Amino acid sequence: MPGLHAAISRDHEYIRHGTLSLLAGIDLLSGEVLGLVRDRHRSAEFIEFLRMTDAQYPSDARIRIVLDNHSAHISKETRAYLVTVPNRFDFCLYAYAWLMAELDRVLFR
């Protein structure tokens, strides 16, 4: 019956404060982690991560990156940036990440 039992009050309410985007990479040889935390994950943030990664390695080194199918990874802006650094990055789709991991294991260990 309505009103028969006392109402239970809540002592707190869950408040969602938003999410963050973590762009991260690991150097398989040294174990060093490169990370970037931003409020959004757009092409601008992804390009910022690529520039940060580019600055960490000698200019003659090729950088291999495993990516998912996020639109920022294949956008016009990202492709325009990659034209400015030819032969610097090698990208592998996430579906083939196991192959990249196996190649790294065979070639670098």
Side-chain angles (χ1 to χ4, degrees):
M1 299 206 119
L4 186 61
H5 301 287
I8 299 172
S9 66
R10 297 182 185 177
D11 58 352
H12 72 282
E13 182 70 29
Y14 175 76
I15 299 172
R16 184 176 178 94
H17 294 286
T19 59
L20 295 175
S21 182
L22 171 65
L23 295 97
I26 185 168
D27 185 321
L28 295 177
L29 297 177
S30 69
E32 179 184 3
V33 175
L34 301 173
L36 184 66
V37 177
R38 294 290 178 260
D39 289 331
R40 300 179 75 179
H41 186 146
R42 300 169 300 169
S43 298
E45 288 80 17
F46 183 59
I47 292 168
E48 181 183 0
F49 176 72
L50 292 177
R51 286 189 173 125
M52 182 186 75
T53 304
D54 184 33
Q56 292 289 321
Y57 295 97
S59 60
D60 60 339
R62 290 193 60 119
I63 302 169
R64 294 184 181 104
I65 299 179
V66 179
L67 298 172
D68 61 8
N69 62 351
H70 192 282
S71 62
H73 302 156
I74 57 172
S75 70
K76 294 185 299 189
E77 296 85 0
T78 300
R79 285 181 285 167
Y81 168 71
L82 292 173
V83 168
T84 67
V85 288
N87 302 317
R88 181 66 165 156
F89 294 96
D90 289 328
F91 293 103
C92 178
L93 297 176
Y94 182 73
Y96 299 104
W98 64 270
L99 177 61
M100 184 60 102
E102 184 65 19
L103 286 173
D104 283 335
R105 187 186 66 78
V106 170
L107 295 174
F108 300 116
R109 305 265 177 190

